[in-house]
């Protein structure tokens, strides 16, 4: 099978699997991440076949929806790519990107080994920021039955992936526990530039949220 057939089949597979998903990990998240990853990947002269495959498959089976199982995403992607007879080197690269790219806690480093991984991680992170990032955070929080905000529950800096996965705090805490930290963890120049703009918008949002919370104008 040629690369373009592999990509089309993979897009169709992911689309039918994630279409209509309601927590911000739906097909349109994948679509945005894929487009952003290709844009950054071109700037960085990355292998765009690996970038596109990894972006398409990065949330195919997320630990957040499988009792914290970190192996299910890479395993599902491997299974799919083996069925398409993708070469082992590319499968290995894609599955490593899927495993490494996720945020794992404020105090947990998540270095990416290759430029393709850096590109996909930046694209995924950008979709957690800005207006869409805010919408996704509250969609996810609602799905998990979390409060919007609770001033009695302070944010936590998680120092292990396990702790981070178990956290059940209100959604506003997620801004301090993850979203505001992403800007300083961007890998590429283009990713950083966009992250800075989106970060600033989220800060304005949270400032206003807290003013309104206190009944101020
Ligand atoms: P990652 O693999 O880095 O977690 P995803 O593409 O799976 O990235 O998307 C994670 C998104 O899910 C976050 O950007 C956020 O919108 C949402 N999310 C995850 N955990 C929480 C949480 N505890 N509260 C609110 N939103 C969350
Ligand atoms: Ni994602």
């Amino acid at each position: 099978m040629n690369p373009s057939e592999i990509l089309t089949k993979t897009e169709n597979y992911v689309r039918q699997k994630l279409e209509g998903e309601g927590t911000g990990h739906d097909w349109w998240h994948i679509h945005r991440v894929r487009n952003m990853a290709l844009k950054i990947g071109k700037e960085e002269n990355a292998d765009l076949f690996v970038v596109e495959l990894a972006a398409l498959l990065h949330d195919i089976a997320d630990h957040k929806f499988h009792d914290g199982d970190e192996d299910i995403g890479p395993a599902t992607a491997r299974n799919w790519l083996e069925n398409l007879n993708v070469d082992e080197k590319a499968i290995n690269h894609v599955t490593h990107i899927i495993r490494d790219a996720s945020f794992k806690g404020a105090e947990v480093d998540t270095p990416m080994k290759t430029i393709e991984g850096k590109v996909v991680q930046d694209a995924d992170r950008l979709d957690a920021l800005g207006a869409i990032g805010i919408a996704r955070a509250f969609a996810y929080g609602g799905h998990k039955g979390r409060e919007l905000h609770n001033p009695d529950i302070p944010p936590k800096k998680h120092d292990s992936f396990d702790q981070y996965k178990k956290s059940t705090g209100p959604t506003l805490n997620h801004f301090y526990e993850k979203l505001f930290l992403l800007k300083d963890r961007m890998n590429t120049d283009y990713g950083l530039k966009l992250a800075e703009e989106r970060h600033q918008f989220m800060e304005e949002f949270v400032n206003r949220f807290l003013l309104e919370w206190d009944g101020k104008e």
Side-chain angles (χ1 to χ4, degrees):
M1 208 180 293
N2 67 44
S4 115
E5 279 176 302
I6 292 169
L7 288 166
T8 305
K9 279 198 188 303
T10 303
E11 169 172 343
N12 292 338
Y13 165 63
V14 175
R15 193 173 184 142
Q16 58 87 16
K17 202 154 174 188
L18 297 181
E19 193 121 65
E21 202 270 357
T23 69
H25 293 78
D26 54 303
W27 159 250
W28 296 109
H29 164 63
I30 308 303
H31 172 80
R32 292 187 301 269
V33 171
R34 186 254 302 262
N35 289 344
M36 182 62 77
L38 286 175
K39 200 166 180 178
I40 303 176
K42 274 181 203 135
E43 302 259 332
E44 299 288 334
N45 286 319
D47 174 342
L48 296 183
F49 179 64
V50 167
V51 164
E52 189 163 358
L53 274 184
L56 283 170
L57 289 165
H58 84 276
D59 278 335
I60 194 66
D62 195 295
H63 65 83
K64 288 192 274 307
F65 308 107
H66 293 90
D67 291 328
D69 182 351
E70 292 155 45
D71 298 322
I72 192 157
T76 307
R78 165 169 289 283
N79 197 17
W80 169 255
L81 296 172
E82 279 177 355
N83 282 336
L84 296 182
N85 289 318
V86 174
D87 72 89
E88 175 54 31
K89 202 163 155 243
I91 297 182
N92 224 344
H93 196 167
V94 168
T95 52
H96 275 92
I97 293 174
I98 295 172
R99 184 181 297 277
D100 294 343
S102 265
F103 187 80
K104 299 184 173 62
E107 305 287 346
V108 186
D109 205 14
T110 44
M112 299 306 288
K113 294 182 195 81
T114 63
I115 187 62
E116 290 74 20
K118 290 178 205 265
V119 164
V120 173
Q121 189 181 54
D122 272 14
D124 192 28
R125 287 183 168 170
L126 283 166
D127 211 54
L129 300 177
I132 287 182
I134 294 168
R136 291 182 71 219
F138 287 102
Y140 183 86
H143 169 77
K144 292 277 177 184
R146 311 261 166 84
E147 292 174 294
L148 301 179
H149 173 48
N150 183 336
D152 296 335
I153 305 177
K156 293 193 187 98
K157 294 265 148 98
H158 302 109
D159 59 15
S160 77
F161 192 20
D162 264 346
Q163 250 192 43
Y164 173 72
K165 283 192 289 195
K166 285 190 195 122
S167 91
T168 57
T171 300
L172 204 72
N173 286 4
H174 191 61
F175 286 78
Y176 300 96
E177 291 169 356
K178 171 181 175 187
L179 305 182
F180 286 147
L181 309 175
L182 294 180
K183 171 175 70 68
D184 294 328
R185 295 180 172 217
M186 298 304 287
N187 304 303
T188 65
D189 289 346
Y190 188 67
L192 174 63
K193 183 176 155 285
L194 291 185
E196 279 170 343
E197 289 165 19
R198 294 181 187 197
H199 179 96
Q200 199 191 339
F201 181 77
M202 285 195 309
E203 261 183 352
E204 283 168 33
F205 168 83
V206 170
N207 287 341
R208 263 194 102 97
F209 184 106
L210 292 172
L211 281 175
E212 291 175 17
W213 189 272
D214 290 330
K216 295 184 186 131
E217 277 166 44

